Amino acid sequence: MPDWEVYVIVSQTHLRDSNFYCVFYTGEESPAVFAGKLPFPARSILKCELPGRARRSLPFKQPMLISSSNNASYRNSAFPELLRWKFLVYDSITTDNDVVLFVKGLNKRRGSSRGPTEFNCIFGDAVRTAVISSVQEVFRCKPPPDFAGKEPTKVSIEIVGPTPLVVPTVAYYMPPRKISNPQKAKLCACTMVYNVAKLLREWVLYHSRIGVEKFILYDNGSGDDLATVVEELVEEGYDVKTHFWLWPKTQEAGFSHGVIFAKDSCSWMMYIDVDEFVYSPSWSNLTQPSKLLLPSMLPKLEEENNVAQISIPCYEFGPSNQKEHPTRGVIQGYNCRRKLENRHKSIVLLSAVDQSLLNVIHHFKLKPGYNVKKLNVLEMVVNHYKFQAWSEFKAKFRRRVSAYVVDWTRPSNLGSNDRTPGLGYSPVEPIGGRKNFVRYMIMD
């Protein structure tokens, strides 16, 4: 994994308060920290650091997980080769008609995907079915016959050829799973989060008051008080659900997963980040919010040429001379905005999303016959409070969540709109950073 992390997946689910260590074949050890739970089937993930000497010998070896720091017996143990994150089937979800696998290492570049006939899905050791779609990290397979009611079965992708190769896997085939809620919401919001506890309440309260009914969070390994904030919001009556999604640089795959996971409980899904807030200038004279504001602006298919996705212009806000997270929230605290529009975010009808689940920067490919409507700034905008006070903003250098966006610490793709204006390749605040950012705003 990035940052020399090793994930250890175990069948036990009650390990949060236990003391474990990873012992490596070199005799080195590091603490194994509870990172989260995988729900299907129920497993726990522990995270430990790959020590210095273990990094210098290839191939890397799997550690032993022990419950004390006594590693005297490690020399008599086998250390299999460590699974590599860049070549792995890491998750799966089953629909009524097929099985969807999420795979690293086969389609490595945006816009360049290998054909489905190059692969099989393999269930257990022998049952193979055809791959019917292979786009980005999403592979859709025909379901296996006669598996109903059986125990969870490992599932993977086989690369066909004279010498077939099976991709290593930590994914299992399971019966269809969905968010259990008898009432289907008209509008939901889905986002991927990492350590956003201090932002979440403002984001949920704001959007719930303009018509978002449910919130689905894909937690990318948060280590803050996110779970506590979610629990408080749920107790107050807000419909917020968290799906543990530890996998790094898999935002597109997570959003694809969300289409299937939520399609029976949500009609429309808004894909924005927790530091982004939707606003319409037509609301400027209102004295009170209304839960009808945002739903009333959704397209009516029969009246608007089958528009099933709206694309909303996005504008970025700068640090606005703030030195720390504003106590009144980001909307009140940050008021310096770049002049130029940067990218778009979307609200999409889930039933209209293409079978491939292809998405790029919060937009989905639609089934034939459906259309996208691009809104202008007078209709609706997304205010993106992206470049916050330095103490908050530097956390974004950890890594970008997209599989196809270069991390800011790498000096490549310098013309990307995702790049930070005026900053370099490391989380070091430049001299006069807040004032310089204002200059970049004005130059826009």
Side-chain angles (χ1 to χ4, degrees), residues 353-407:
V353 172
D354 186 72
Q355 181 189 39
S356 67
L357 303 177
L358 172 65
N359 65 93
V360 179
I361 314 175
H362 298 69
H363 291 78
F364 281 86
K365 180 180 179 181
L366 301 179
K367 295 175 181 176
Y370 290 101
N371 298 303
V372 178
K373 179 180 180 180
K374 184 176 180 180
L375 303 184
N376 63 53
V377 68
L378 298 179
E379 295 173 296
M380 191 182 297
V381 296
V382 171
N383 290 327
H384 186 184
Y385 300 95
K386 180 176 182 178
F387 306 107
Q388 299 184 16
W390 183 255
S391 59
E392 308 297 326
F393 175 70
K394 64 182 179 181
K396 288 181 175 283
F397 276 81
R398 171 179 176 256
R399 59 175 173 255
R400 312 307 291 144
V401 293
S402 169
Y404 306 101
V405 172
V406 175
D407 288 347

Side-chain angles (χ1 to χ4, degrees), residues 21 37 63 65 117 141 212 325 343 386 409 411 434:
Y21 293 84
K37 294 182 179 180
L65 187 67
T117 57
C141 314
V212 177
H325 181 70
R343 294 183 170 172
K386 180 176 182 178
T409 53
R434 282 175 281 133

Side-chain angles (χ1 to χ4, degrees), residues 394-438:
K394 64 182 179 181
K396 288 181 175 283
F397 276 81
R398 171 179 176 256
R399 59 175 173 255
R400 312 307 291 144
V401 293
S402 169
Y404 306 101
V405 172
V406 175
D407 288 347
W408 285 348
T409 53
R410 295 176 57 189
S412 57
N413 197 18
L414 303 183
S416 169
N417 286 336
D418 188 64
R419 281 287 178 188
T420 319
L423 297 182
Y425 310 118
S426 61
V428 177
E429 184 177 17
I431 298 174
R434 282 175 281 133
K435 293 182 180 179
N436 285 339
F437 199 96
V438 173

